[in-house]
Amino acid sequence: MKVKKLAVLLVLVVLATGFIFYNSLKNSEESNKASGVVEEIVEPIVEEITGKEDVDVYYAVRKGAHLTEFFILGVTVLSVVAAVKTQRNNLIGYGLFYVLLVAVTDEYIQSFSDRTSSVTDVFIDLAGALIGFGVCALVMIGYAGVKERSKKRAEKRNEYGDKK
């Protein structure tokens, strides 16, 4: 069972990485078109919230895409680390290195198209992955706490002879 779980998680890491690289391979026209679709959705919402018209959300959408892609990668990488029980601290370091390697490779791939590569984007990518690590860690800690409380309640019920 544990091997299957780890295999599924590794596949998710590969898929997240592939999705990032797929988006890196798009030329500027394709990339801008994809961002434009998101802009059309986000811009009216931002205008409604701020009460301002003609809000430019282009930069936020572009950088938000980096953040989101690497958030997903961070969640999947930390899930793999958590699934492997031995030397977890070393694996977190390897996980962070993997995320950094993907971020740098992502920008390197973009340098071969008519798009620009940016060190700022690498930092945004890392921030997204670290947020993903943090959210994933909080969910795991919360799940472990709920599981522990449930176990203690079951033990207490058994102690008093309750069958419920």
Side-chain angles (χ1 to χ4, degrees):
M1 177 72 176
K2 299 280 184 184
V3 173
K4 286 183 183 179
K5 178 182 176 183
L6 183 59
V8 168
L9 292 171
L10 286 170
V11 167
L12 290 175
V13 168
V14 170
L15 288 174
T17 304
F19 180 72
I20 290 168
F21 291 161
Y22 168 76
N23 286 324
S24 295
L25 290 169
K26 292 180 179 178
N27 63 33
S28 62
E29 185 179 325
E30 292 173 309
S31 182
N32 287 332
K33 187 176 179 181
S35 295
V37 171
V38 176
E39 279 183 79
E40 289 177 17
I41 295 167
V42 171
E43 195 168 286
I45 296 168
V46 172
E47 288 174 354
E48 182 69 32
I49 292 169
T50 62
K52 297 179 183 177
E53 291 186 23
D54 296 327
V55 176
D56 186 14
V57 295
Y58 175 80
Y59 185 79
V61 166
R62 300 288 296 181
K63 301 313 169 191
H66 278 269
L67 198 75
T68 303
E69 289 176 331
F70 279 84
F71 172 87
I72 293 166
L73 183 62
V75 168
T76 58
V77 167
L78 191 64
S79 296
V80 167
V81 169
V84 177
K85 300 293 184 197
T86 59
Q87 298 178 343
R88 199 171 282 159
N89 289 338
N90 291 344
L91 291 177
I92 290 172
Y94 289 134
L96 286 170
F97 178 75
Y98 179 77
V99 168
L100 176 63
L101 183 65
V102 172
V104 170
T105 304
D106 174 43
E107 293 304 311
Y108 183 69
I109 290 170
Q110 287 181 28
S111 72
F112 289 104
S113 68
D114 58 345
R115 295 169 60 189
T116 59
S117 60
S118 162
V119 173
T120 303
D121 285 350
V122 172
F123 286 117
I124 292 170
D125 297 343
L126 289 175
L130 289 173
I131 293 168
F133 270 41
V135 168
C136 188
L138 288 174
V139 167
M140 287 181 207
I141 290 166
Y143 176 75
V146 168
K147 195 173 175 181
E148 183 64 28
R149 282 191 297 273
S150 177
K151 182 180 173 184
K152 284 182 180 180
R153 285 185 190 131
E155 288 171 358
K156 208 172 212 179
R157 281 194 303 264
N158 289 339
E159 183 179 316
Y160 294 114
D162 290 347
K163 300 289 181 186
K164 294 183 183 178

